[in-house]
């Protein structure tokens, strides 16, 4: 009796359907992709209050802006509250905050750092608006827009608990 042997052919991988899918899918995904521009802001966290907090310099400003749901509280860490700016119907009054920060900058021209303290439920948009108002001021000089630096070194942190 004769033994029949199976002839083995090398297996061929059929990828034409996959290539057709890729040819159609790649241009579609590239044409519908949303390209975003990421901006990075350098910032630092505020320092922890240590045992030497009583020995801080009285003449040096430690500006703090606390974002509350109903107002912005601008103060000095040592001197206390400077001004409370109530919110407008559209949110925080960043124009009034910017004016106040300009006045503070005139009294302390060498100061560059400030702390922005936000409550846990503060929106990112509100936080960025407040940071922009503290960081710089814009004014018109004839036909040119002039940008003035106020407190560019901003530290962010958690707002202190409101006394009841």
């Amino acid at each position: 009796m004769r033994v029949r042997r199976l002839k083995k052919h090398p297996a061929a991988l059929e990828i034409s359907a996959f290539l057709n899918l890729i040819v159609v899918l790649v241009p579609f995904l590239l044409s519908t992709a949303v390209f975003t521009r990421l901006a990075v802001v350098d910032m630092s966290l505020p320092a922890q209050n240590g045992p030497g907090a009583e020995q801080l310099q009285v003449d040096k400003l430690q500006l703090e802006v606390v974002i509350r749901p109903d107002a912005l509280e601008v103060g000095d860490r040592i001197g206390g509250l400077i001004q409370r700016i109530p919110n407008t119907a559209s949110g925080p009054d960043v124009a009034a905050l910017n004016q106040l920060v300009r006045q503070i900058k005139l009294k302390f021209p060498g100061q560059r750092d400030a702390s922005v303290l936000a409550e846990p439920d503060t929106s990112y948009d509100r936080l960025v608006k407040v940071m922009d108002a503290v960081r710089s001021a814009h004014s018109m000089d004839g036909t040119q827009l002039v940008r003035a630096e106020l407190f560019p070194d901003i530290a962010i942190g958690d707002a202190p608990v409101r006394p009841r």
Side-chain angles (χ1 to χ4, degrees), residues 26-39:
V26 167
F28 173 76
L29 290 176
L30 287 176
S31 66
T32 60
V34 176
F35 297 102
T36 59
R37 183 177 153 244
L38 297 176

Side-chain angles (χ1 to χ4, degrees), residues 46-100:
Q48 296 274 339
N49 286 342
E54 301 83 37
Q55 299 173 356
L56 292 174
Q57 297 175 0
V58 179
D59 60 338
K60 185 174 180 186
L61 174 73
Q62 293 184 356
L63 184 65
E64 288 184 338
V65 179
V66 180
I67 304 172
R68 302 283 185 199
D70 57 339
L72 298 172
E73 296 173 354
V74 181
D76 183 11
R77 188 174 294 163
I78 300 168
L81 184 67
I82 296 172
Q83 186 175 347
R84 189 172 193 274
I85 304 171
N87 287 349
T88 61
S90 62
D93 192 357
V94 292
L97 173 65
N98 193 265
Q99 274 303 110
L100 178 62

Side-chain angles (χ1 to χ4, degrees), residues 3-11:
V3 178
R4 286 179 69 174
R5 292 207 171 177
L6 212 57
K7 290 186 178 180
K8 294 184 179 179
H9 296 286

Side-chain angles (χ1 to χ4, degrees), residues 131-147:
M131 287 172 58
D132 287 342
V134 172
R135 180 178 292 121
S136 63
H138 301 282
S139 60
M140 291 299 290
D141 184 25
T143 59
Q144 282 195 326
L145 182 67
V146 178
R147 181 178 177 266

Side-chain angles (χ1 to χ4, degrees), residues 117-131:
L117 307 175
E119 291 191 346
D121 57 344
T122 303
S123 69
Y124 180 74
D125 183 49
R126 181 174 289 196
L127 179 66
V128 170
K129 284 180 182 178
V130 170
M131 287 172 58

